[in-house]
Amino acid sequence: MSLLDQVQGPADLRRMSPAELTDLAQELRDFLIESCSVTGGHIGAGLGVVELTIALHAAFNTPDDKLVWDVGHQGYPHKVLTGRKDRMHTLRQEGGLSGFLKRTESEYDTFGAGHAATSISAALGMAAARDIKGQEHKVVAIIGDGSLGSGLAYEALNNAGHSDRDFVVILNDNEMSIAPNVGAMHKYLTGVQRNPIYNRLRSKIGDIVDHAPAPFKDAGALLRRWEESVKAFLTPGVLFEELGFRYFGPINGHDIPQLLETFKAVREFKGPRLVHVITTKGKGFPAGEHGEKWHALPPGHDPKTGKQLKAAAGNPNYTAVYGKALSELMEEYEHVIAITAAMPSGTGTGVIAKNHPKRFFDVGIAEGHGVTFAAGMATEGIKPLVTIYSTFLQRGYDNIVHDVAIQSLPVMFCMDRAGLVGEDGETHAGLYDIAYMLAVPNMVVTAPKDGTELAALLRSGIEHEAGPFCVRYPRDLSPDVVPHAKEIPAVPHATWEVLRKGEEIAILAVGTMVQESLKAAEALAADGLPVTVVNCRYLKPYDATTLNALLATHQQLLVVEEGTVINGFGAFMASVVSALDPNVRVQTHGVPDRIVYAASRAKQLAQVGLDAAGIADRVRAMHGTGALAG
Ligand SMILES: Cc1ncc(C[n+]2csc(CCOP(=O)(O)OP(=O)(O)O)c2C)c(N)n1
């Protein structure tokens, strides 16, 4: 029986020798590579923490001691070692294991994760609760160097160091965020790892102490103490120690004996302590280590090359359309710049980094800062396009209201992954941006029906100087082939587009829902129920002329949007129409007020009735039971 098969839970690790645990690491790595090649997923981060995960579970008494992983995308080895190996083939699928960590999945998942930099705050909260309850267990936050660039992490470190609580932070430093890490903290940490003076001194002192004859052992201890004080001048420990943490490291995160020894010792100390562990992201991945490309891979890939076995055919996705169109528009508009928060490839802005390097800014995992940084630029006549996933822009909401909208600054927000996001699941779904952006005064809110309209709205947004402007687009393929941006004119301000004329019922469709509504209308027409379909590409300000014309000719409106139904565009239209013409009924059709879990995007849309069939059913129900009945 393999060592891996002998592990039913972390208790089994505690029975194994360091040599066995080292062999186990190889087996676990092989298993993950094989299993992820079928399911796809975030392989790189997990491969980097195989030894770290084994050593943490072996040295700490989990689940009584609590491990709090940041982001959760590095949690695959943790899942395997905590009794979920047999379900790894269901990873990221409907009803299967989550791609992140989830409290409902295992008692070892102490805190749900998905967004970066929550671990230190959450772990500190758990430690405070433990102290109130008079308990004794340990709490350990594990955070990456990329996430440590986030403001939330500093707020937590500041609070933790001051609190003097029994509390451990493991800094998993692989010099990578998704892309190579950026920022001053990153430079600082790398400086230490590579500090030749410190490293030389350290190994010299180690040699002297280890080989000193017995009578000189005391001198060795003295040297070690001296090493500590030298270290204080030469290591990042200074920074953490000033914050109130006892600093240990840097240590090799792939050396199980060293990890075990350190963690066992650190476990017994009291007060805030931080262990700096150096790892290699993607370690052991056959196609090469440390590649941004292996951050996440599709299902059915070849582990030797990382390439998808059956390449997806068809049009480019919206992300690629966005990057290309923006790059083209930046040739026309010299005052435009692009901002990403640590996601150049995920947001399509990698192409801007390549084509317009001086006009590209990666601010790190710091969405709030990115927004205010953009606001500062806008005060000087620069037009920033802040490109952030809808879900992560939630982090920047106060900055949007306070720094951008109240000052009416012309910052543009490009919200990728708006709507349901399939296998990435509930933590990454972009369901709230319509509701949160509609509520912001001065904000223009838009959504394109296809890639060409996305490029057109980019031009509209760039030319809009009166205040902020946002555009949302999905994690999906663009339904059309998009010409060069210079051939695509702006969409006239606050206009809708009537795509199909029917009677009595009009569908007001937003973004992705335009195509689905047209398909629904096709099916309804075949049943003798012709409906009007309108592309509401401007949600705010809306097209008052078209709306008034619709109110004069229709008795019911159905507003269809891929966003939360609470306070969405439908709710907005219902309030507008009730004032304009209370005789016209408005019904809303969006994502219901519940969590939508991971499944393919198509399945998620069908589950909540946001596909052509669901929309058609809703219209039939309106027809049968509404003002038109009889
Ligand atoms: C608030 C937020 N912004 C962006 C992301 C996207 N994201 C996921 S992992 C990651 C990089 C994390 O880097 P690091 O903390 O160093 O962990 P590693 O991947 O190296 O293990 C980013 C930017 C996120 N999950 N949350």
Side-chain angles (χ1 to χ4, degrees):
M1 199 196 228
S2 72
L3 286 165
L4 189 57
D5 285 334
Q6 293 171 35
V7 179
Q8 301 302 315
D12 297 315
L13 302 176
R14 293 171 207 138
R15 286 193 275 277
M16 291 183 185
S17 68
E20 283 173 317
L21 291 175
T22 304
D23 291 345
L24 173 73
Q26 187 56 48
E27 289 180 19
L28 177 50
R29 194 163 264 124
D30 292 345
F31 172 80
L32 287 172
I33 291 168
E34 184 56 39
S35 156
C36 275
S37 73
V38 182
T39 60
H42 291 92
I43 181 76
L47 288 179
V49 296
V50 166
E51 290 82 4
L52 178 60
T53 311
I54 291 175
L56 281 169
H57 278 293
F60 286 86
N61 189 28
T62 55
D64 291 343
D65 287 350
K66 300 198 187 300
L67 302 183
V68 185
W69 295 91
D70 209 85
V71 189
H73 66 319
Q74 76 293 59
Y76 302 174
H78 164 83
K79 284 177 196 258
V80 173
L81 298 174
T82 54
R84 285 170 273 180
K85 175 168 174 278
D86 294 346
R87 295 183 63 210
M88 283 300 285
H89 67 279
T90 68
L91 191 75
R92 292 165 58 84
Q93 291 156 42
E94 191 177 2
L97 292 179
S98 160
F100 301 91
L101 297 181
K102 208 159 157 171
R103 280 166 58 77
T104 48
E105 204 175 282
S106 161
E107 63 177 326
Y108 292 92
D109 292 8
T110 58
F111 200 71
H115 288 202
T118 59
S119 62
I120 307 179
S121 302
L124 185 63
M126 289 176 198
R130 170 203 60 201
D131 295 346
I132 291 172
K133 296 199 291 187
Q135 296 169 332
E136 296 278 305
H137 58 264
K138 304 290 172 181
V139 183
V140 184
I142 305 111
I143 187 164
D145 56 306
S147 300
L148 196 68
S150 183
L152 186 55
Y154 291 102
E155 292 170 30
L157 283 176
N158 184 43
N159 192 195
H162 157 82
S163 73
D164 207 28
R165 254 190 232 290
D166 178 4
F167 172 67
V168 180
V169 174
I170 308 288
L171 169 56
N172 170 31
D173 183 359
N174 54 24
E175 298 192 47
M176 294 283 284
S177 187
I178 291 178
N181 201 0
V182 294
M185 179 53 129
H186 163 63
K187 269 202 188 147
Y188 188 38
L189 296 174
T190 326
V192 175
Q193 276 192 51
R194 306 220 170 114
N195 185 328
I197 312 173
Y198 170 60
N199 285 333
R200 243 184 281 131
L201 259 175
R202 196 162 132 111
S203 65
K204 277 252 158 47
I205 292 167
D207 277 359
I208 295 170
V209 175
D210 294 343
H211 300 111
F216 298 104
K217 285 277 181 208
D218 281 353
L222 205 80
L223 274 174
R224 283 247 190 253
R225 276 206 294 282
W226 178 70
E227 181 206 359
E228 285 302 312
S229 56
V230 170
K231 196 168 87 173
F233 288 105
L234 297 173
T235 78
V238 178
L239 185 96
F240 297 112
E241 295 207 353
E242 291 295 328
L243 279 166
F245 279 78
R246 188 148 184 199
Y247 172 86
F248 300 84
I251 62 171
N252 176 355
H254 300 297
D255 179 341
I256 287 198
Q258 195 188 5
L259 289 168
L260 283 174
E261 196 187 349
T262 309
F263 292 157
K264 282 182 180 162
V266 165
R267 187 180 183 283
E268 300 316 315
F269 286 103
K270 293 269 185 241
R273 44 232 196 259
L274 183 140
V275 188
H276 184 181
V277 178
I278 311 300
T279 61
T280 302
K281 197 163 184 172
K283 183 155 178 74
F285 192 67
E289 294 173 345
H290 234 310
E292 182 179 349
K293 280 188 277 182
W294 325 134
H295 177 74
L297 285 172
H301 64 259
D302 178 352
K304 293 202 185 68
T305 60
K307 293 219 173 83
Q308 197 164 8
L309 295 174
K310 265 194 253 145
N315 293 334
N317 57 30
Y318 277 92
T319 306
V321 168
Y322 169 78
K324 178 171 173 291
L326 176 57
S327 180
E328 290 162 358
L329 288 166
M330 282 172 82
E331 311 205 329
E332 282 180 57
Y333 300 93
E334 288 186 351
H335 67 313
V336 168
I337 62 100
I339 295 174
T340 180
M343 308 203 61
S345 53
T347 57
T349 49
V351 62
I352 311 296
K354 188 163 150 258
N355 296 348
H356 307 280
K358 293 217 166 97
R359 292 154 71 191
F360 168 78
F361 297 84
D362 182 352
V363 295
I365 309 177
E367 290 80 5
H369 156 66
V371 172
T372 305
F373 171 69
M377 282 203 163
T379 63
E380 298 295 317
I382 299 292
K383 179 89 193 191
L385 269 68
V386 178
T387 312
I388 294 181
Y389 288 8
S390 161
T391 187
F392 300 142
L393 193 58
Q394 291 164 194
R395 284 271 171 96
Y397 193 56
D398 178 62
N399 312 67
I400 292 172
V401 175
H402 181 270
D403 300 328
V404 176
I406 288 178
Q407 310 193 81
S408 208
L409 289 169
V411 173
M412 184 163 181
F413 297 97
C414 304
M415 303 181 291
D416 197 332
R417 307 302 198 267
L420 293 161
V421 294
E423 295 76 7
D424 281 340
E426 60 278 16
T427 53
H428 286 54
L431 296 179
Y432 312 104
D433 59 89
I434 296 179
Y436 71 64
M437 285 303 200
L438 282 176
V440 177
N442 292 325
M443 180 68 73
V444 176
V445 184
T446 70
K449 69 173 190 297
D450 57 25
T452 305
E453 201 167 59
L454 171 58
L457 285 169
L458 287 182
R459 188 184 289 285
S460 308
I462 289 171
E463 291 184 351
H464 181 76
E465 284 300 324
F469 188 109
C470 70
V471 57
R472 75 181 315 249
Y473 44 95
R475 179 189 197 232
D476 214 337
L477 300 179
S478 161
D480 55 336
V481 176
V482 183
H484 193 287
K486 70 171 183 265
E487 292 161 27
I488 306 174
V491 184
H493 195 63
T495 58
W496 293 351
E497 188 187 26
V498 178
L499 294 173
R500 183 179 178 120
K501 285 202 169 133
E503 296 158 14
E504 294 160 357
I505 296 181
I507 301 178
L508 302 190
V510 175
T512 49
M513 292 298 107
V514 172
Q515 305 290 339
E516 293 304 308
S517 298
L518 285 171
K519 282 190 226 153
E522 194 76 29
L524 289 163
D527 291 353
L529 184 58
V531 295
T532 297
V533 178
V534 184
N535 168 18
C536 298
R537 54 212 184 174
Y538 277 83
L539 286 74
K540 198 182 91 172
Y542 59 88
D543 181 340
T545 311
T546 305
L547 180 65
N548 279 319
L550 291 171
L551 294 179
T553 48
H554 294 74
Q555 281 101 59
Q556 296 198 78
L557 305 181
L558 178 67
V559 184
V560 187
E561 62 196 303
E562 198 185 334
T564 179
V565 77
I566 304 254
N567 293 334
F569 184 57
F572 177 39
M573 281 298 103
S575 73
V576 169
V577 172
S578 71
L580 290 175
D581 185 348
N583 294 318
V584 176
R585 286 186 61 190
V586 179
Q587 297 220 10
T588 60
H589 191 48
V591 177
D593 184 25
R594 69 167 173 86
I595 306 292
V596 182
Y597 295 103
S600 70
R601 202 172 116 74
K603 272 203 166 174
Q604 288 178 325
L605 287 168
Q607 269 174 29
V608 295
L610 288 175
D611 56 355
I615 297 167
D617 283 351
R618 193 64 199 271
V619 171
R620 282 191 198 100
M622 285 167 76
H623 185 246
T625 59
L628 307 177

